Amino acid sequence: MTNEHPWWGNLGGPVQRGIVTYSTSPYEQRAFAGVWRHGIFNVYRRTAAQAPYVGIPIVIGFLIYHFEKKRHDFLNSKAVHNNEYERVKL
């Protein structure tokens, strides 16, 4: 079988042996550089920027839940059943 289309590692160049090179990326050397100085304020800034988009629907959902729970409790209470009984009785 002929090698008409060489692929990586078999490109037909001279074989190199015994050459090993290691290096670390600058991002890996100091992955947490400035976490305490900049990170906490950055988290606060990003959270404050997203608060209106997240907070308003949460407040609206809580208000709907709160008022509907109160209405549900009232409709299942004795007071509403007594009022219904008085209304039918008249």
Side-chain angles (χ1 to χ4, degrees):
M1 179 175 179
T2 62
N3 194 2
E4 295 176 5
H5 300 287
W7 194 246
W8 292 108
N10 190 16
L11 296 176
V15 178
Q16 296 182 358
R17 294 175 189 245
I19 300 173
V20 179
T21 304
Y22 295 101
S23 66
T24 305
S25 162
Y27 298 108
E28 292 181 28
Q29 290 178 3
R30 298 188 48 164
F32 290 101
V35 167
W36 296 112
R37 284 180 286 141
H38 305 293
I40 294 172
F41 299 110
N42 197 20
V43 168
Y44 173 75
R45 180 184 57 84
R46 288 181 178 206
T47 304
Q50 293 298 316
Y53 300 109
V54 178
I56 292 172
I58 288 175
V59 169
I60 291 171
F62 174 77
L63 291 175
I64 290 172
Y65 173 78
H66 176 72
F67 289 121
E68 290 302 320
K69 178 138 177 60
K70 281 177 58 176
R71 182 174 180 269
H72 175 75
D73 291 341
F74 174 72
L75 290 175
N76 288 322
S77 68
K78 288 183 179 180
V80 90
H81 292 297
N82 287 339
N83 288 341
E84 289 294 326
Y85 178 72
E86 292 297 328
R87 214 178 318 162
V88 171
K89 188 176 168 182
L90 294 175

